[in-house]
RNA sequence: GGUCUGGUAGCUCAGUUGGAUAGAGCAACUGCCUUCUAAGCAGUCGGUCGUGAGUUCGAAUCUCGCCCAGAUCACCA
């Protein structure tokens, strides 16, 4: 394509005296319904060259035919010049493709995701968050960045005290061991128990004649929780011990969940250690005149000139608010890593918060603030409505993964695909199919979109699913195993060969990988890669049916090797690309 | 009310800096397994791209108005 561009640019310069050709030359792939491989859009030239689209197309077509050996033929339809490219060119393209991480650029990116509270287990929302954050981190690594994966663990505050208090009141000394429950689920149970008790007390107070507001503010259990928070802040030994114990339970639970999901972190930040950090930077902001102090002593920033509001950054009693902590945490991270950019994977209900945060960091004079990105994603709702932890209407992450596993098991067994597999092999396969299906389902849609999760409909194994992609990989591997048995090589020597159209399509599709990956990484959208992988799998399947290798009549030896090579390259690409999404592909299924 | 995000086939979604007759999957229907894996392939059916204007050779894509849905505008986190 570079060659063709050069030829055209030279022609435009010498014949039509046009110097700046950058914006005029638009290449695109020829649509399947037309003859050809590569298409030049002629319309943009009409403004500078007074000819009809048809004439100009003919002129350019002839030019390529005369000067570019790789162009075999051309046709012009309306304002589109379609070129047929020689098979050698496709072989050459395929030779240059490899699927691995790009060389290091020295750019450092911090990716934050997960951010759980330690009062309840992870749910479907966290799953989307985790998968997005993890795959975006992979994508950046893939294009040559140094990536640091971090999570902030929300381990303090009134909501944590609530589950602690409920455990004290109703727990009877229950532990994960004694109850045989995962620690995070056990603690979550008491968070729900708190809420039930709270509601009961509110109801009681209402019956005594208090208003709803009064009742909610004076429920004894809430007052107790507040008292507990105060004790925590004072470092009360008993409360701290309970806090540490229950948090340990939860951390163990989270670790198990994240491990099964396949995500990991390089560093954890605990809010209990960072919640006071922001204060010293408030002083810095005051010195710089970015912040100002009101008469009552509270500190603010005025962002009205930037289209935002005034925002409090320090209360009049000198304590921090949410954004103060985030300022502190961001700067702490910069001390830790000196990153060039940072990605926050957080739900879209915090869009405004992050706009404000980035603006503040920028005004404080930090260069990297401009490269901060809020990877904002839409909420997941159930057919019955929103998920609410307190009311127990959530899709639990552990349950969900297990359900996916079970469905994969059932479906695979039905199809008789586990014959000849050991118990461990089939277990691993179910896990790969089940988890892969879940991951692909959540990653393929644009992160910005909210989604409705319907458990029955979501667990599909046909069509645009991970299973389909995994199946294609297994098919390829099966062919390559057979080739190996027969002692055939997959190294094509590169002699002249006429390619079938589905072979050409597959090479073209493989050739798109690099640009798709770049787009997915720079836009922080793994969905692009999902769509690509699906497309690739579909393109392969067409090639698979149209270009057999071991079927009779068998193709000539050179074609066999070429097709095996193409199989190998496709498998490499599928494995690498799905790996970036955190999805595994099996050797057999 | 202000700001942000979304609105594409019955359903779930793609659709690169504006490019050819708007694409997939699911669902419904029709063909194809004596073997490179049918979790597949080929095909039929299905659309006033929320709506009205504008910009131009050309608009799902850009601009403006309006309609619908969600989020947000806390000295909560």
């Amino acid at each position: 394509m570079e060659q063709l561009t050069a030829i055209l640019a030279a022609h435009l310069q010498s014949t039509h005296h046009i110097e700046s050709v950058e914006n005029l030359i638009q290449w695109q792939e020829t649509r399947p319904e037309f003859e050809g491989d590569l298409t030049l859009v002629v319309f943009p030239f009409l403004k500078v060259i007074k000819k009809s689209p048809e004439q100009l197309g003919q002129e350019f077509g002839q030019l390529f035919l005369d000067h570019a050996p790789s162009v075999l033929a051309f046709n012009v339809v309306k304002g589109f010049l379609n070129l047929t490219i020689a098979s050698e060119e496709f072989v050459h393209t395929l030779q240059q493709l490899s699927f691995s991480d790009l060389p290091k650029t020295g750019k450092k990116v911090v990716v934050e995701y997960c951010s759980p509270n330690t009062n309840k287990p992870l749910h479907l929302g966290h799953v989307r968050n985790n998968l997005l954050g993890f795959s975006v981190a992979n994508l950046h690594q893939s294009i040559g960045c140094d990536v640091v994966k971090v999570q902030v663990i929300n381990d303090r505050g009134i909501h944590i005290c609530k589950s602690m208090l409920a455990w004290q009141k109703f727990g009877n000394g229950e532990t994960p061991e004694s109850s045989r429950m995962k620690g995070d689920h056990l603690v979550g149970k008491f968070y729900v128990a708190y809420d039930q008790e709270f509601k009961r007390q509110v109801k009681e107070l209402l019956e005594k004649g208090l208003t709803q507001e009064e009742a909610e503010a004076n429920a004894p259990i809430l007052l107790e929780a507040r008292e507990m928070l105060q004790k925590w802040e004072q470092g009360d030994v008993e409360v701290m011990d309970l806090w540490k114990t229950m948090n340990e339970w939860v951390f163990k639970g989270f670790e198990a969940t994240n491990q099964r999901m396949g995500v990991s972190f390089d560093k954890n930040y605990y809010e209990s250690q960072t919640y006071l950090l922001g204060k010293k930077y408030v002083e810095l902001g005051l010195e710089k005149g970015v912040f100002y102090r009101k008469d009552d002593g509270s500190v603010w920033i005025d962002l009205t000139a930037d289209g935002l509001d005034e925002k409090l950054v320090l209360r009049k009693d000198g304590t921090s608010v949410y954004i103060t902590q985030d300022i502190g945490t961001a700067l702490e991270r910069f001390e830790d890593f000196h990153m060039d950019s940072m990605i926050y994977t957080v739900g879209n209900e915090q869009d405004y918060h992050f706009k404000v945060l980035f603006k503040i960091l920028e005004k404080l004079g930090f260069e990297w603030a401009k490269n901060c990105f809020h990877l904002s994603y839409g909420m997941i709702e159930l057919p019955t409505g929103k998920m609410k932890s307190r009311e127990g209407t959530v899709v639990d992450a552990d349950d969900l993964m297990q359900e996916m596993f079970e469905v994969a098991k059932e479906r695979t067994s039905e199809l008789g695909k586990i014959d000849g597999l050991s118990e461990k092999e089939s277990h691993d396969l179910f896990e790969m199919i089940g988890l892969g299906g879940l991951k692909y389902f959540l990653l393929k849609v644009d992160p910005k979109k909210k989604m409705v999760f319907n458990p029955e409909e979501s667990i599909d194994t046909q069509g645009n699913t991970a299973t389909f992609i995994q199946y294609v990989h297994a098919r390829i591997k099966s062919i390559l195993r057979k080739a190996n048995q027969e002692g055939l090589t997959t190294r094509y020597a590169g002699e002249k060969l006429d390619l079938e159209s589905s072979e050409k399509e597959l090479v073209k599709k493989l050739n798109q990988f690099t640009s798709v990956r770049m787009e997915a990484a720079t836009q922080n959208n793994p969905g692009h890669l999902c769509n690509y992988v699906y497309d690739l799998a579909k393109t392969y399947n067409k090639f698979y049916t149209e270009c057999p290798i071991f079927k009779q009549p068998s193709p000539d030896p050179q074609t066999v090797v070429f097709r095996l090579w193409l199989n190998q390259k496709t498998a490499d690409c599928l494995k690498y690309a799905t790996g970036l999404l955190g999805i595994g592909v099996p050797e057999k299924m």
Side-chain angles (χ1 to χ4, degrees):
Chain A
M1 211 162 75
E2 289 83 27
Q3 267 182 23
L4 301 181
T5 302
I7 291 171
L8 184 58
H11 172 76
L12 289 169
Q13 206 165 7
S14 61
T15 314
H16 300 284
H17 309 289
I18 298 166
E19 298 295 337
S20 60
V21 294
E22 290 296 310
N23 300 323
L24 295 177
I25 301 179
Q26 290 179 30
W27 293 108
Q28 52 187 248
E29 269 186 42
T30 307
R31 296 191 147 221
E33 58 267 36
F34 298 97
E35 177 80 31
D37 302 303
L38 194 61
T39 295
L40 179 72
V41 187
V42 179
F43 290 109
F45 299 98
L46 300 181
K47 283 177 188 162
V48 285
I49 304 171
K50 282 174 189 154
K51 281 192 177 180
S52 74
E54 182 70 20
Q55 281 177 322
L56 211 50
Q58 291 292 339
E59 177 184 323
F60 292 162
Q62 196 58 49
L63 173 78
F64 290 131
L65 205 53
D66 293 343
H67 295 90
S70 56
V71 175
L72 296 183
F74 73 92
N75 66 82
V76 181
V77 181
K78 294 187 188 172
F80 298 89
L81 169 62
N82 303 320
L83 304 174
T84 302
I85 306 295
S87 290
E88 290 90 329
E89 204 55 38
F90 287 89
V91 173
H92 182 65
T93 300
L94 198 53
Q95 268 162 355
Q96 294 184 325
L97 291 180
S98 69
F99 306 99
S100 55
D101 291 358
L102 297 178
K104 291 286 176 198
T105 58
K107 230 187 102 182
K108 194 162 207 172
V109 185
V110 171
V111 183
E112 176 193 308
Y113 59 98
C114 200
S115 315
N117 291 336
T118 56
N119 60 349
K120 52 175 183 273
L122 303 181
H123 57 69
L124 183 50
H126 295 107
V127 177
R128 188 178 198 188
N129 183 309
N130 269 356
L131 298 177
L132 276 171
F134 182 71
S135 57
V136 163
N138 285 346
L139 278 165
H140 279 88
Q141 177 129 14
S142 166
I143 63 168
C145 297
D146 288 308
V147 176
V148 183
K149 293 175 285 189
V150 303
Q151 67 173 331
V152 173
I153 298 175
N154 230 297
D155 62 345
R156 65 162 283 282
I158 187 82
H159 51 297
I160 309 297
C161 293
K162 286 175 181 175
S163 46
M164 285 160 60
L165 187 61
W167 182 85
Q168 270 186 338
K169 284 183 172 306
F170 318 117
N172 299 317
E174 227 182 333
T175 67
E177 289 76 26
S178 74
S179 63
R180 295 204 178 165
M181 264 177 107
K182 258 180 97 224
D184 49 339
H185 288 259
L186 182 66
V187 172
K189 186 174 98 178
F190 290 106
Y191 186 62
V192 174
Y194 167 90
D195 198 55
Q196 284 167 349
E197 176 63 11
F198 173 73
K199 281 188 176 142
R200 198 188 61 75
Q201 292 182 357
V202 167
K203 199 176 161 200
E204 229 173 63
L205 292 172
L206 283 172
E207 280 161 6
K208 284 184 186 163
L210 274 73
T211 65
Q212 182 78 29
E213 238 173 77
E214 286 168 349
E216 282 179 8
N218 290 298
I221 196 165
L222 176 64
L223 302 180
E224 282 182 80
R226 287 229 179 94
E227 198 187 321
M228 189 181 249
L229 180 60
Q230 274 181 4
K231 279 188 179 170
W232 183 90
E233 280 172 359
Q234 290 156 4
D236 178 278
V237 176
E238 199 187 332
V239 171
M240 283 311 241
D241 277 352
L242 177 60
W243 175 73
K244 283 178 192 160
T245 304
M246 289 182 72
N247 272 351
E248 273 316 310
W249 295 347
V250 174
F251 294 153
K252 269 196 186 152
F254 285 169
E255 208 178 302
T257 305
N258 284 331
Q259 195 179 354
R260 185 166 190 189
M261 219 179 298
V263 305
S264 58
F265 303 91
D266 301 308
K267 175 158 184 166
N268 293 338
Y269 288 87
Y270 297 89
E271 207 198 311
S272 55
Q273 290 162 18
T274 60
Y275 79 110
L276 298 173
L277 279 178
K279 286 188 184 181
K280 62 179 176 185
Y281 298 105
V282 171
E283 291 306 318
L284 174 74
L286 280 167
E287 278 167 34
K288 286 194 167 191
V290 175
F291 301 148
Y292 65 93
R293 201 184 288 277
K294 284 193 177 173
D295 292 341
D296 66 0
S298 58
V299 181
W300 296 72
I301 184 166
D302 183 0
L303 295 169
T304 48
D306 298 288
L308 304 168
D309 301 314
E310 291 190 355
K311 180 80 187 176
L312 177 97
V313 294
L314 208 61
R315 294 189 187 104
K316 64 185 169 192
D317 63 5
T319 54
S320 359
V321 290
Y322 181 39
I323 200 144
T324 325
Q325 291 177 39
D326 265 5
I327 295 168
T329 311
L331 295 170
E332 174 86 354
R333 267 184 219 165
F334 187 69
E335 303 273 299
D336 287 347
F337 301 114
H338 291 89
M339 67 278 182
D340 301 287
S341 67
M342 180 145 59
I343 295 166
Y344 290 88
T345 315
V346 182
N348 65 3
E349 75 272 17
Q350 298 201 31
D351 284 355
Y352 180 76
H353 171 77
F354 280 102
K355 263 190 196 171
V356 172
L357 176 64
F358 296 161
K359 189 55 81 178
I360 290 175
L361 291 173
E362 201 182 312
K363 284 187 186 278
L364 286 174
F366 299 101
E367 265 305 303
W368 49 270
K370 292 189 184 108
N371 298 323
C372 283
F373 182 79
H374 174 203
L375 174 47
S376 161
Y377 60 92
M379 294 290 104
I380 303 183
E381 291 174 16
L382 300 175
T384 49
K386 288 187 183 175
M387 299 193 290
K388 291 212 174 97
S389 306
R390 271 175 305 185
E391 292 166 18
T393 58
V394 287
V395 176
D396 177 75
D398 294 317
D399 293 349
L400 180 59
M401 287 191 284
Q402 189 54 31
E403 195 185 340
M404 296 300 291
F405 175 90
E406 297 296 342
V407 170
K409 182 175 179 178
E410 198 179 312
R411 186 96 188 94
T412 308
S413 309
E414 270 172 25
L415 290 167
K417 300 265 187 181
I418 47 171
D419 307 343
L421 293 184
S422 72
E423 195 160 323
K424 182 176 185 309
E425 280 173 329
S426 39
H427 183 278
D428 290 350
L429 181 62
F430 305 150
E431 188 77 3
M432 199 181 260
I433 293 173
L435 274 268
L438 176 62
K439 291 175 184 182
Y440 187 80
F441 179 78
L442 292 174
L443 286 175
K444 75 176 172 185
V445 304
D446 190 320
K448 283 201 295 290
K449 291 200 177 182
K450 66 169 184 192
M451 56 198 301
V452 177
F453 185 80
N454 188 331
E456 282 107 54
E457 287 176 17
S458 304
I459 307 173
D460 236 327
T461 57
Q462 290 177 329
N464 190 353
T465 62
T467 315
F468 176 87
I469 294 155
Q470 290 167 328
Y471 179 64
V472 165
H473 184 263
R475 267 182 155 179
I476 297 176
K477 284 295 177 171
S478 169
I479 290 179
L480 293 175
R481 272 194 302 273
K482 183 157 187 164
N484 193 38
Q485 278 170 17
E486 302 194 3
L488 294 167
T489 176
T490 59
R491 280 171 190 242
Y492 182 66
E495 286 167 48
K496 192 167 160 41
L497 187 71
D498 273 333
L499 299 187
E500 300 286 332
S501 69
S502 56
E503 292 170 321
K504 283 185 172 183
E505 292 303 318
L506 187 52
V507 176
K508 280 191 224 171
K509 192 52 78 180
L510 287 167
N511 192 34
Q512 286 171 12
F513 174 76
T514 313
S515 61
V516 171
R517 166 175 59 182
M518 191 53 83
E519 193 189 338
T522 52
Q523 293 180 15
N524 298 304
N525 185 353
H528 291 305
L529 194 59
C530 289
N531 290 322
Y532 169 77
V533 175
Y534 172 62
D535 245 22
L536 176 63
K538 242 182 5 166
T539 308
Y540 173 82
N541 267 344
K542 195 181 171 90
F543 160 77
Y544 176 89
T545 40
E546 290 181 6
C547 298
I549 295 169
F550 298 115
K551 278 187 179 173
Q552 297 300 327
S554 51
D556 67 89
Q558 191 171 306
T559 302
V560 167
V561 179
F562 176 78
R563 287 180 183 173
L564 286 173
W565 186 43
L566 202 39
N567 268 281
Q568 182 67 59
K569 286 284 188 185
T570 308
D572 291 347
C573 186
L574 283 176
K575 184 160 194 167
Y576 181 68
T578 49
L580 295 178
L581 298 167
I583 297 171
V585 284
E587 298 290 308
K588 289 180 193 170
M589 71 184 275

